[in-house]
Amino acid sequence: MTPVPSSEPAADPDPFDTPGGVGGAGAGEPPDPGVVARLRRAGCVFAEEEARLLIAAAPGSAELTALVERRATGEPLEHVIGRARFGGMWIVVDPGVFVPRRRTEFLLERAAALLRPGIVVVDLCCGSGALGAALLERERRIDLHAADLDPAAVRCARRNLVALGPDRVHRGDLFEALPADLSGRIEVLVANVPYVPTGDIALLPGEAREHEARAALDGGPDGLDVLRRVAAGAVRWLAPGGRLLAETGDRQADAAVAVLVGSGLVPDAVTSEDHGTTVIAGLRPAGP
């Protein structure tokens, strides 16, 4: 299973929670028909919704024309407008950074159910920091850290997690990025690892393949390379009774569960038909 294309319409009826910008397309008003027509010619399925978002993002007519052309030539809508809707929030998304998918809101839901005040939570492979930001919105009293290898993603995550301060968003390769004193203390570890098999990258929509970092998509020959590394380190970094949660494709779910078992974690897997995805969880046993 591959991530859904990033050109999903926003759930909010009022783009950016404000009245329309240039072009005057408010929540209940039809957007500029010329913009809609240009987007439809370019093959945008949700042309009217996208037009509203583009109009809301443009301070003037010249800027709107430029934004529409960027979208019409295949750039992800979220990169064009600089944000994506995720978990009921607007998340800043810079060019080249992985766009948070709506499907990953199931991972958010599963992780949010485990939150309680004071626990250490880590968003590994954080990308834009969308998961961490949405978890923090649900429980402000968690001790949250985020990490990614991509410097562009780290810069973006620091903008979305500005309330934490830059010292809580780390750059580095998986656990190597984290402060050593978190070892054995993490209660909830969310890792939206790349899980597209290398051979399937060419089958992804051009928006993802050409505009998002390859490292955020490519999970190796079977799509599970990064998960193996995360699971192998999780036993050391999780607190006793702590959990690793990750998203995976349906056809990989059994193999992903086997990865957790092989790393000494007690596995669980839940599939959401509504979200079209599977979340696996690995529990670090509380005993010795």
Side-chain angles (χ1 to χ4, degrees), residues 14-176:
D14 185 357
F16 304 161
D17 301 319
T18 63
V22 60
E29 302 173 28
D32 185 320
V35 173
V36 174
R38 178 69 180 100
L39 295 174
R40 282 181 177 154
R41 287 197 301 272
C44 297
V45 177
F46 305 105
E48 290 196 0
E49 292 89 341
E50 292 194 16
R52 287 190 174 92
L53 290 166
L54 291 165
I55 290 167
S61 297
E63 291 86 352
L64 176 60
T65 298
L67 294 182
V68 171
E69 287 308 304
R70 286 173 60 190
R71 178 63 186 130
T73 55
E75 191 171 345
L77 173 69
E78 296 84 355
H79 287 168
V80 174
I81 66 174
R83 62 188 74 193
R85 194 70 174 169
F86 180 80
M89 306 171 63
W90 284 110
I91 300 295
V92 173
V93 184
D94 294 329
V97 174
F98 183 80
V99 174
R101 273 46 167 183
R102 292 290 180 78
R103 68 192 304 129
T104 305
E105 290 180 347
F106 185 51
L107 176 57
L108 168 63
E109 291 175 8
R110 302 292 293 178
L114 302 174
L115 298 182
R116 63 183 188 277
I119 66 170
V120 175
V121 178
V122 170
D123 181 3
L124 206 60
C125 303
C126 71
S128 65
L131 273 168
L135 289 171
L136 191 63
E137 182 71 14
R138 283 152 178 77
E139 176 52 76
R140 291 284 182 179
R141 295 166 292 177
I142 58 175
D143 184 4
L144 177 69
H145 291 256
D148 203 286
L149 181 61
D150 180 6
V154 171
R155 287 193 298 271
C156 188
R158 285 176 176 164
R159 295 173 65 192
N160 286 309
L161 296 168
V162 66
L164 295 180
D167 61 333
R168 293 298 188 94
V169 182
H170 314 281
R171 181 191 171 196
D173 188 14
L174 299 180
F175 297 104
E176 293 176 7

